Amino acid sequence: MEWLTIGQMAKLNGVSQQTLRFYDKMGLLSPVYRGEDNQYRYYNIRQSAVLDIIQYMKSLGISLKDIKHQLDSQDLDYIEKALRQKQRQIDEEIRDLKFQRRAIERTVESFERYRSAPPDGSILMEYIGKRQMYRIDAGINFYDHDLETYEEMLRQLRERLMADRLPQIYFCNAGTILRRDRLLKGDFYSTEVFVFVDQEFVPETHMETVPAGNYLCIYCDNFYKEKEYVQRLMGYINNQGYQVCGDYLCEAIAEIPMVERQQRGMFLRLQVPVKFHEKRL
């Protein structure tokens, strides 16, 4: 039988001597012969098969503790259970990475929209495709309050997102809804807050569809200008002969940290779905 020193065994199998010493200490793989003074360790090449198994199972993400149990007990059920648990863990990690990637995409898109948006107060017609919305009714008319109350409403939104086990990537760029009947009356009463979500990650039971269409939009760089800008938008709609055909949405297309003020900085797109008045068709 040919003896291999620890250095030869390590080199032959592409591992470090430190790794072999650690495996020996754990009882995973011990030299077949050890000198009386315990300074010299000798392996046999046939032990490379055990080392291959250890390295392979490590590559599957199995812990050294579980590997040792398998080698000691030869219990296939135990190692299969460990593998299935690792598989579930990997699936969760993949899902989390997908969420993280989508969060990055949404943030980059938000910055791009902010940079390419027209100046504050600009009115323009935009065709906006179909969108998916997650909405709650916070039970507070935020038009009667200030940013502090709006932040309280957002806390409710966040809690509901968590309760429904939805990705927290969607807790950004929130918006509010003013229903069409109240908008036409000039009644600023809204208790509903929303975020846009992706069909890929959110169950249908938690989504509402915002239809595609033409939206007359005005851009706004300050939370406290919204009422004034909505009234300006409605005046433009009436002067141009448009007909409101849906609910008004106030969407934060970008949120910019206002560190010096310790508050949320928002760039808003105020939008009303419209069509030409039937008399003009």
Side-chain angles (χ1 to χ4, degrees), residues 153-260:
M153 296 171 70
L154 293 185
R155 297 315 104 195
Q156 291 189 44
L157 175 63
R158 184 175 184 275
E159 287 177 7
R160 284 282 295 277
L161 279 167
M162 294 177 65
D164 287 334
R165 303 180 66 83
L166 299 184
Q168 292 303 295
I169 64 171
Y170 294 119
F171 186 61
C172 66
N173 292 1
T176 57
I177 306 170
L178 179 59
R179 296 299 177 179
R180 177 177 178 272
D181 57 341
R182 291 188 179 276
L183 175 66
L184 294 176
K185 295 176 184 176
D187 180 12
F188 284 92
Y189 183 89
S190 174
T191 60
E192 298 171 276
V193 289
F194 72 88
V195 286
F196 288 123
V197 296
D198 300 299
Q199 222 163 358
E200 178 183 359
F201 299 128
V202 178
E204 289 186 9
T205 53
H206 295 312
M207 293 189 302
E208 300 176 23
T209 299
V210 180
N214 291 315
Y215 288 77
L216 200 64
C217 304
I218 185 170
Y219 286 79
C220 178
D221 64 4
N222 190 296
F223 176 86
Y224 294 103
K225 292 181 181 179
E226 184 189 350
K227 278 188 181 181
E228 173 194 343
Y229 278 25
V230 172
Q231 291 167 345
R232 188 190 303 179
L233 195 60
M234 291 303 294
Y236 186 90
I237 288 171
N238 294 329
N239 291 336
Q240 296 298 316
Y242 292 117
Q243 183 178 5
V244 176
C245 58
D247 300 322
Y248 158 80
L249 302 178
C250 173
E251 174 194 5
I253 62 170
E255 293 184 356
I256 304 94
M258 302 290 284
V259 179
E260 69 278 7

Side-chain angles (χ1 to χ4, degrees), residues 54 57-58 62-71:
I54 295 171
M57 294 174 79
K58 270 187 64 181
I62 301 173
S63 70
L64 291 177
K65 179 182 177 181
D66 287 336
I67 294 173
K68 182 177 184 331
H69 178 91
Q70 165 61 17
L71 293 176

Side-chain angles (χ1 to χ4, degrees), residues 28-121:
L28 275 167
L29 179 66
S30 297
V32 292
Y33 174 75
R34 192 188 307 266
E36 292 181 1
D37 57 3
N38 202 31
Q39 292 181 356
Y40 295 98
R41 297 174 174 86
Y42 293 98
Y43 295 84
N44 183 271
I45 192 170
R46 285 180 295 183
Q47 290 181 282
S48 297
V50 179
L51 193 54
D52 288 343
I53 292 173
I54 295 171
Q55 297 300 91
Y56 175 68
M57 294 174 79
K58 270 187 64 181
S59 72
L60 297 179
I62 301 173
S63 70
L64 291 177
K65 179 182 177 181
D66 287 336
I67 294 173
K68 182 177 184 331
H69 178 91
Q70 165 61 17
L71 293 176
D72 291 344
S73 66
Q74 300 295 307
D75 185 355
L76 289 178
D77 290 339
Y78 181 88
I79 205 63
E80 182 181 3
K81 181 179 178 182
L83 284 171
R84 292 190 181 280
Q85 182 177 352
K86 187 64 181 179
Q87 187 177 34
R88 288 191 294 270
Q89 180 185 339
I90 290 172
D91 288 341
E92 290 177 1
E93 290 173 357
I94 291 173
R95 183 197 63 184
D96 290 343
L97 284 172
K98 285 183 177 179
F99 291 161
Q100 187 177 21
R101 177 179 175 83
R102 183 58 186 137
I104 292 171
E105 290 174 350
R106 285 168 62 90
T107 304
V108 171
E109 290 167 3
S110 177
F111 290 160
E112 290 175 347
R113 285 197 303 268
Y114 176 70
R115 289 195 181 98
S116 62
D120 172 65

